[in-house]
Amino acid sequence: MSSLAANLLAFGRVLRALGLDVSPTQGREALAALAAVGLARRGDVYHALSATLVSRAADRPVFAAAFDAFWKEHAAGGARKAPDGSHDTVS
């Protein structure tokens, strides 16, 4: 399993723990979306994952907070870096 897939799997678990209904199918769709948009721009990654992993509008703020916390933590660890840049959806 690639480190991207492993990180995405871990992120899906975080989202499920926070109450989002993330299915295995959505996880595969998220991986395919990342392959399509690439990892160079954080905003593209954010929106690709949001579009594939969030089913309810009420879950968007939870997703946004989880995205920022999860990928910031992984970037700080050095071994697994999040894409560079920023997204304009969350301040």
Side-chain angles (χ1 to χ4, degrees):
M1 176 183 302
S2 72
S3 64
L4 175 60
N7 280 328
L8 190 55
L9 182 62
F11 184 56
R13 288 181 185 137
V14 167
L15 293 176
R16 281 191 293 280
L18 293 171
L20 276 72
D21 186 20
V22 178
S23 71
T25 299
Q26 286 173 291
R28 288 188 296 274
E29 290 170 350
L31 195 55
L34 292 180
V37 302
L39 302 175
R41 293 178 22 173
R42 184 178 173 99
D44 291 346
V45 172
Y46 175 90
H47 291 295
L49 293 181
S50 176
T52 54
L53 299 176
V54 179
S55 301
R56 299 177 299 232
D59 291 336
R60 293 214 182 273
V62 176
F63 171 87
F67 180 90
D68 285 340
F70 184 86
W71 297 107
K72 180 178 180 180
E73 176 183 317
H74 281 72
R80 299 175 181 167
K81 296 195 182 246
D84 291 333
S86 62
H87 56 77
D88 59 4
T89 304
V90 179
S91 56

